[in-house]
Amino acid sequence: MIVVMSHRASDGEIEEVLFRLEKIGFQIHLSRGVERTIIGAIGDRKILGEISLESLPGVEKVVPILQPYKLASRTFQEENTVVRVGGLEIGGDTIHVMAGPCAVESREQIMQAARLVRDAGGTILRGGAFKPRTSPYSFQGLEEEGLKLLAEAREETGLLVVTEVMDVRTVPIVAQYADILQIGARNMQNFFLLREVAKVDKPVVLKRSPSGTIEEWLMAAEYIMSGGNYNVILCERGIRSFENYTRNTLDLTAVPVVKHLSHLPVIVDPSHAIGIWRFVSPMARAAVAAGADGLIVEVHPNPSEALCDGPQSLTPENFKEMMVNLKSIAGIMGRKMP
Ligand code: PEP
Ligand code: MN
C-alpha cells in the first residue's frame, strides 16, 4: 500500500508512521517529494490488524496497490523511472538505441560493429558473450574473452555495453565488464538469477519471455526491484503465437499497456521478435511511434557471415537508414535521438 503524508506532516509524524510500519514487518520504500512524502509499504495488509494508519497524525490517505506487483506499478510511483547509466538517461526524453551483433565473434568483428553503431548514432553496444542457443551444437559465445572484447570496444568508442548474463555463477564476471546486464527471454522467470542481479549496482534489461504474460513479466521485474535494484528496463522481444512466418510475434500492444501499468522504461527488440532483417526497421519505427523508450537491434558488419542470427541482422547501411528514419518518428513523438 501507499501511505500519502499530508504536505503539512512534520518529520516526527513521518518517522512515527515509518516506525510503526517497520515494527510490524512492512518493507518500506520512502519517497520524499517536493510537495509531499509518500511511503510505500510492502507486506500483507492483514498484519496491520487493528492499527488504523489513516488516524495517525500527518497521514492524508492510504491507497492499496491492487496489482500483485507493487514496486513496479504506476500506483506505487506515478512519474516515469529514468534509468541513469554512464551519463545516459533511459526512459527520459531521449530514445536510446542499443545495437550490435547477436554474439561477440572476434576483435575485428566487434570493433567494426561498435564503430558503425557509434557513427550512426547508437549509444549502447550489444553483443552476447554467453549465448543461450536452442541447439547445444551451435556457437555458445566467447565467454570471458567476449566480455573483454566488449570492454575494449567501449574503451575505443565511448559506447556503453549491454550483455546477457545467463547464469547465477557468471553474474560477478558479467557485472565486472558490462554497464547494463541483460536477462534473456528464456530466463525471465529464473527467479534465482533475478534475485542475484537484484544485488548488482547496474541496470538490468529484462526481456519478456516468449510465453510470458504482461503480469508475469512485471512480477519478474518485481523480483529484481524487491531485491534492491530499481533500475529495471523492460524489453518486449516477441511472443509465441500461431503465426510462424516470423520468428515470434511482436506484441507492440505491450508498450502502451506496460507503460500504463508501470513506471519502468520499456524498450523493444524487433530483431528477435521478427527474425527477418527486412521487417526490423518498419517495426522499430512502429515501436517508437507506440511510445517505446528505446530499442535493441542486431546489426552485423557482414550478416551473411554471422555465427548467430545473421538472417535478422541489419547490414551497416540498413542500420544507418533505420536510424535516420527513427529520428523523424522520434521528432513527431516529441522525443529526441542523440
Ligand atoms: C539476445 O538478445 O541475444 C537474445 C538471445 O534475445 P532473447 O533472450 O530475447 O531471445
Ligand atoms: Mn540474437
Side-chain angles (χ1 to χ4, degrees):
M1 72 197 152
I2 307 286
V3 182
V4 182
M5 301 301 294
S6 151
H7 64 278
R8 284 191 298 269
S10 67
D11 284 352
E13 287 167 345
I14 295 169
E15 289 305 321
E16 178 64 22
V17 176
L18 292 176
F19 174 75
R20 290 206 183 210
L21 288 170
E22 266 169 342
K23 202 169 88 180
I24 53 173
F26 277 97
Q27 201 190 329
I28 299 298
H29 302 267
L30 187 64
S31 159
R32 280 184 196 271
V34 189
E35 289 282 310
R36 61 188 73 222
T37 292
I38 290 171
I39 300 166
I42 310 294
D44 189 346
R45 254 197 126 181
K46 288 193 206 95
I47 60 177
L48 270 179
E50 294 301 302
I51 302 172
S52 164
L53 291 172
E54 281 94 341
S55 52
L56 289 177
V59 173
E60 184 173 301
K61 59 180 174 178
V62 179
V63 185
I65 304 176
L66 299 174
Q67 296 93 345
Y69 44 89
K70 310 289 178 193
L71 302 172
S73 87
R74 264 277 177 220
T75 320
F76 181 76
Q77 183 186 305
E78 214 172 301
E79 67 276 15
N80 289 333
T81 283
V82 176
V83 171
R84 293 182 172 83
V85 52
L88 305 183
E89 292 189 345
I90 300 168
D93 285 349
T94 304
I95 289 173
H96 287 284
V97 176
M98 311 179 181
C102 182
V104 182
E105 299 168 8
S106 65
R107 173 175 286 114
E108 197 191 352
Q109 175 248 19
I110 199 66
M111 287 301 173
Q112 280 183 6
R115 288 182 202 120
L116 76 89
V117 168
R118 176 201 57 196
D119 294 347
T123 43
I124 301 162
L125 177 66
R126 63 146 290 146
F130 295 92
K131 290 306 304 174
R133 304 306 301 276
T134 302
S135 165
Y137 308 118
S138 302
F139 175 59
Q140 304 284 311
L142 296 181
E143 305 191 345
E144 188 172 2
E145 183 54 27
L147 295 174
K148 287 185 177 158
L149 293 174
L150 285 167
E152 260 186 59
R154 168 178 50 212
E155 192 69 25
E156 191 199 298
T157 58
L159 295 171
L160 301 186
V161 165
V162 58
T163 195
E164 179 165 349
V165 56
M166 276 178 59
D167 185 282
V168 168
R169 290 166 296 186
T170 51
V171 169
I173 182 128
V174 176
Q176 185 188 325
Y177 291 98
D179 300 293
I180 304 173
L181 305 177
Q182 177 177 323
I183 297 290
R186 293 155 192 80
N187 270 322
M188 186 194 88
Q189 287 187 310
N190 181 340
F191 301 117
F192 285 100
L193 183 58
L194 300 179
R195 285 226 158 98
E196 220 44 44
V197 297
K199 296 182 205 152
V200 176
D201 188 21
K202 304 239 163 143
V204 177
V205 166
L206 175 64
K207 289 200 155 193
R208 179 183 185 182
S209 156
S211 58
T213 64
I214 285 174
E215 188 167 299
E216 286 165 341
W217 188 18
L218 290 171
M219 289 307 283
E222 191 77 12
Y223 261 89
I224 303 173
M225 300 175 83
S226 63
N229 188 344
Y230 295 90
N231 290 314
V232 178
I233 302 159
L234 297 163
C235 177
E236 161 61 37
R237 49 76 72 202
I239 52 175
R240 281 260 165 108
S241 78
F242 59 82
E243 180 52 65
N244 58 14
Y245 183 80
T246 51
R247 186 174 178 178
N248 291 285
T249 295
L250 178 60
D251 180 15
L252 266 190
T253 52
V255 176
V257 170
V258 171
K259 288 196 73 73
H260 172 70
L261 297 173
S262 175
H263 51 86
L264 294 172
V266 181
I267 66 168
V268 168
D269 174 349
S271 307
H272 290 90
I274 298 144
I276 306 165
W277 70 267
R278 186 181 302 284
F279 307 117
V280 167
S281 293
M283 296 320 286
R285 300 197 297 266
V288 173
D293 296 298
L295 291 157
I296 180 162
V297 176
E298 285 185 348
V299 52
H300 193 285
N302 190 352
S304 63
E305 284 179 10
L307 295 182
C308 178
D309 285 348
Q312 69 192 30
S313 299
L314 296 177
T315 58
E317 295 71 32
N318 287 330
F319 179 68
K320 220 187 311 182
E321 191 184 325
M322 179 193 79
M323 294 295 280
V324 171
N325 290 330
L326 287 181
K327 208 166 188 156
S328 309
I329 309 274
I332 292 170
M333 297 304 296
R335 303 188 76 169
K336 291 181 285 203
M337 298 267 295

